[in-house]
Amino acid sequence: MAIFGNLFIRFRKQIETSDHQKDNSLATHYYKASFNQLFQSVEELFRQDADCRIVTVSKDHGEIAVEINKPIPCFLIVTIVSVRGMETAVDFSISSEKFSPIGLYPILRKRIISYYDKMNKLHTLVRVGKSS
């Protein structure tokens, strides 16, 4: 039965990171930075990416909405939340309406991981998953 579950995951068109993800690479990442520092870094990250177009920025809600053109068209919402004074969490929600006979999940997952990798280079990673 697990084989079928894994097969169907491949065809998901939407992924959300969270503290409760079984896949550790898709768990919420916590950084040692203030909300303003991290928000500014994330916004700049997407402004510099030629494949992305920022649709909306809501600092009050801690969200940035981004349209991604390549490798597949998809929509991304980045949520930034201050947990403590110098600890801020980043979550992603990515989705696509495109159909792929081999499934979109691996492509979307890879995209999220690449954004977390870029954030890890800009800020000190405190932990992955489950806030204490």
Side-chain angles (χ1 to χ4, degrees):
M1 197 67 158
I3 293 172
F4 289 117
N6 289 337
L7 178 66
F8 290 121
I9 286 173
R10 183 171 196 81
F11 292 97
R12 287 186 186 166
K13 293 181 174 186
Q14 195 261 340
I15 300 174
E16 282 188 46
T17 63
S18 75
D19 280 336
H20 307 290
Q21 275 282 357
K22 292 178 184 175
D23 182 348
N24 202 39
S25 61
L26 296 177
T28 303
H29 282 48
Y30 294 83
Y31 295 96
K32 185 177 182 176
S34 70
F35 171 83
N36 288 330
Q37 290 170 333
L38 206 57
F39 195 91
Q40 185 177 359
S41 293
V42 171
E43 188 176 356
E44 191 60 31
L45 179 82
F46 290 107
R47 289 205 189 281
Q48 292 177 356
D49 191 335
D51 297 336
C52 297
R53 183 177 74 82
I54 294 178
V55 179
T56 59
V57 175
S58 175
K59 199 165 190 177
D60 293 339
H61 293 108
E63 292 185 341
I64 300 172
V66 181
E67 285 182 351
I68 302 170
N69 300 317
K70 296 177 185 176
I72 57 165
C74 49
F75 188 73
L76 175 75
I77 296 178
V78 186
T79 306
I80 300 142
V81 178
S82 180
V83 181
R84 293 186 190 94
M86 283 300 285
E87 188 173 323
T88 307
V90 177
D91 274 312
F92 295 102
S93 177
I94 191 168
S95 61
S96 178
E97 294 299 316
K98 186 169 171 64
F99 173 77
S100 173
I102 59 170
L104 291 177
Y105 187 86
I107 297 167
L108 298 176
R109 180 181 177 276
K110 184 177 177 182
R111 193 77 184 202
I112 288 175
I113 292 169
S114 75
Y115 290 135
Y116 274 141
D117 288 343
K118 289 176 184 177
M119 293 304 302
N120 293 347
K121 292 176 184 166
L122 297 172
H123 296 281
T124 304
L125 182 65
V126 176
R127 70 176 173 279
V128 175
K130 303 230 184 342
S131 95
S132 34

